[in-house]
């Protein structure tokens, strides 16, 4: 079916032409025989090429040679910048922590959920004076991704665990731990369950802590910014105490319902913290 | 071309002598104007000279050379908006001097008819024909040089050959 005898005439014509067997090709070659570029062109073009080669040879080393040597410079620059950044973080972890908190992804959803998960446990726990770790098992380390206890934890989760363990071993327990001050939690995107807490007093927000966090805060300062952290913790603890005083004042003024609501908010904020004896009747 | 890229003038001379005549004829038949052809011819070789150090062997040198020439011709067409050159403007080409007077007259007549017919073709068809005849490019290489597909090149060549055959039927059985 596809033999040469069945080919369309113009296909045969094209095939012959492509193979150089076409009469058109022969006629063309015959017609063009002896027609060539003017000789004066040759001199001009060859001179141009010769000049270009000579100029290129006389030219000083170009950017291309520099391009070959750029790699070591680039590598050195990257190393120096990385080292200086690391040094800055180690020397001033507080600044690094603030930068991390300012980042939009610094407070993932897990950090927001933390108090919700811890709250029921605290309610069921018996009001012992020092039940921090046993009575209310705090959520696991992922509960604090946005607020590392130290710069090291910001750098690696493994080192964060190590620091936390060390903090747990060294930290005072019970009332001592509760007495430790701590900074306010990181600002997180409000969720549906958290919306109601937006109206809570600042001191109650600041007082919401887990024992795990307490222990972390109790860890001996390993870096230069630890003193600042401790100062913040002390301020937060004072705020928690102020919250309790406010509840007592409401109670004394006869606003029992308001005091009850404030205590409920306080407990949500600080679920592991035992309710003082004098306010326990409001909690029941 | 690789030798020329490394600075060998002798390599450039070899390249030039191998390609100068077909390239010049391609430009002359494409432009139908000897002065413009000379100018474009120099431009194309100047491009080769300028690209010496940056040239990479991605395609055959011939394909690249005729791509430069094609682009130069396109610029020329744009300036002149040349569709089909009138027959009177076609260049008269003298035959080789060693032919007998009769043969020379016959050949000159055939040459003129061939050139006239070629000049009547749309420039895309004429260009496809010239790239094959003068540049020796394959269908794919013609497509690469002119920026069209292989089937388009085939179609253009079919039309060009059909027209040439029709006009030269007495010498093309």
């Amino acid at each position: 079916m596809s033999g040469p005898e069945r080919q369309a005439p113009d296909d045969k014509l094209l095939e012959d032409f492509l193979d150089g067997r076409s009469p058109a090709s022969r006629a063309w070659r015959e017609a063009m025989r002896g027609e060539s570029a003017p000789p004066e062109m040759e001199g001009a073009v060859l001179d141009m090429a010769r000049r270009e080669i000579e100029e290129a040879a006389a030219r000083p080393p170009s950017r291309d040679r520099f391009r070959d040597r750029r790699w070591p410079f680039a590598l050195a620059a990257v190393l120096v910048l990385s080292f200086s950044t690391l040094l800055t973080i180690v020397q001033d972890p507080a600044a690094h922590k603030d930068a991390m908190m300012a980042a939009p992804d610094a407070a993932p959803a897990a950090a927001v959920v933390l108090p919700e998960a811890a709250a029921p446990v605290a309610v069921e726990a018996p009001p012992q004076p020092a039940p921090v770790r046993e009575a209310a098992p705090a959520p696991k380390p992922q509960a604090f991704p946005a607020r590392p206890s130290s710069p090291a934890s910001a750098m690696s989760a493994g080192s964060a665990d190590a620091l936390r363990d060390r903090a747990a071993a060294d930290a005072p327990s019970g009332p001592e731990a509760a007495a430790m001050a701590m900074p306010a939690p990181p600002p997180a995107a409000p969720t549906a369950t958290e919306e109601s807490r937006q109206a809570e007093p600042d001191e109650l927000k600041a007082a919401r802590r887990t024992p795990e966090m307490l222990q972390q805060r109790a860890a001996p300062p390993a870096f230069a910014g630890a003193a600042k952290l401790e100062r913040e913790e002390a301020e937060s603890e004072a705020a928690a105490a102020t919250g309790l005083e406010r509840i007592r004042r409401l109670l004394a003024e006869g606003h029992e319902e308001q005091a009850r609501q404030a205590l409920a908010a306080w407990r949500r904020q600080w679920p592991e913290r035992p309710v003082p004896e004098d306010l326990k009747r409001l909690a029941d | 071309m690789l030798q020329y890229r490394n600075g060998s003038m002798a390599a450039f001379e070899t390249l030039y002598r191998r390609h100068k005549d077909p390239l010049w004829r391609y430009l002359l038949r494409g432009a139908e104007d000897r002065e413009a052809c000379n100018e474009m011819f120099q431009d194309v070789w100047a491009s080769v000279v300028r690209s010496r150090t940056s040239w990479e062997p991605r395609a055959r040198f011939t394909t690249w050379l005729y791509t430069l020439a094609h682009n130069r011709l396109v610029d020329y067409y744009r300036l002149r908006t040349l569709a089909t050159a009138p027959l009177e403007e076609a260049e008269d080409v003298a035959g080789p001097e060693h032919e007998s007077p009769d043969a020379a007259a016959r050949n000159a007549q055939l040459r003129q008819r061939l050139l006239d017919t070629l000049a009547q073709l749309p420039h895309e068809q004429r260009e496809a024909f010239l790239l094959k005849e003068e540049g020796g490019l394959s269908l794919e290489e013609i497509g690469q040089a002119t920026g069209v597909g292989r089937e388009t090149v085939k179609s253009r060549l079919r039309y060009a050959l059909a027209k040439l055959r029709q006009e030269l039927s007495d010498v093309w059985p």
Side-chain angles (χ1 to χ4, degrees), chain B:
Chain B
M1 183 63 191
L2 285 171
Q3 288 180 28
Y4 170 54
R5 189 179 69 174
N6 294 332
S8 166
M9 186 58 203
F12 180 79
E13 286 180 18
T14 305
L15 278 176
Y16 178 77
R17 298 217 162 91
R18 185 181 298 159
H19 294 285
K20 68 181 172 77
D21 292 341
L23 179 68
W24 189 77
R25 288 195 293 265
Y26 165 77
L27 290 169
L28 180 63
R29 300 298 158 226
E32 299 291 351
D33 180 343
R34 193 173 286 263
E35 203 172 311
C37 166
N38 288 346
E39 193 182 321
M40 286 190 286
F41 182 79
Q42 285 204 47
D43 281 353
V44 170
W45 285 109
S47 296
V48 173
V49 167
R50 274 198 305 273
S51 310
R52 177 177 70 89
T53 52
S54 58
W55 188 79
E56 294 290 338
R58 294 195 192 97
R60 259 199 329 148
F61 172 76
T62 311
T63 311
W64 179 62
L65 182 69
Y66 280 91
T67 305
L68 294 176
H70 162 79
N71 292 339
R72 193 65 192 79
L73 262 182
V74 169
D75 290 344
Y76 173 75
Y77 291 143
R78 280 186 190 140
L79 286 175
R80 201 181 139 184
T81 56
L82 173 72
T84 303
L87 296 183
E88 303 78 53
E89 288 181 14
E91 291 283 337
D92 285 333
V93 181
E97 290 172 359
H98 64 271
E99 289 178 341
S100 68
D102 279 354
R106 242 192 344 269
N107 279 339
Q109 195 185 11
L110 175 64
R111 184 181 303 120
Q112 196 55 53
R113 286 175 63 198
L114 189 57
L115 293 177
D116 290 349
T117 309
L118 197 71
Q120 288 173 18
L121 294 175
H123 70 85
E124 292 90 355
Q125 294 174 21
R126 184 170 55 215
E127 188 172 45
F129 179 87
L130 290 169
L131 284 171
K132 170 68 184 79
E133 277 303 321
E134 296 296 354
L137 304 190
S138 66
L139 291 176
E140 287 79 11
E141 287 170 333
I142 295 172
Q144 196 178 335
T146 55
V148 296
R150 185 177 186 275
E151 291 304 313
T152 308
V153 176
K154 276 174 84 171
S155 169
R156 286 176 181 176
L157 281 175
R158 276 200 195 100
Y159 278 111
L161 292 170
K163 179 74 175 170
L164 285 169
R165 188 179 194 181
Q166 183 187 336
E167 295 297 325
L168 303 172
S169 56
D170 53 324
V171 291
W172 189 342

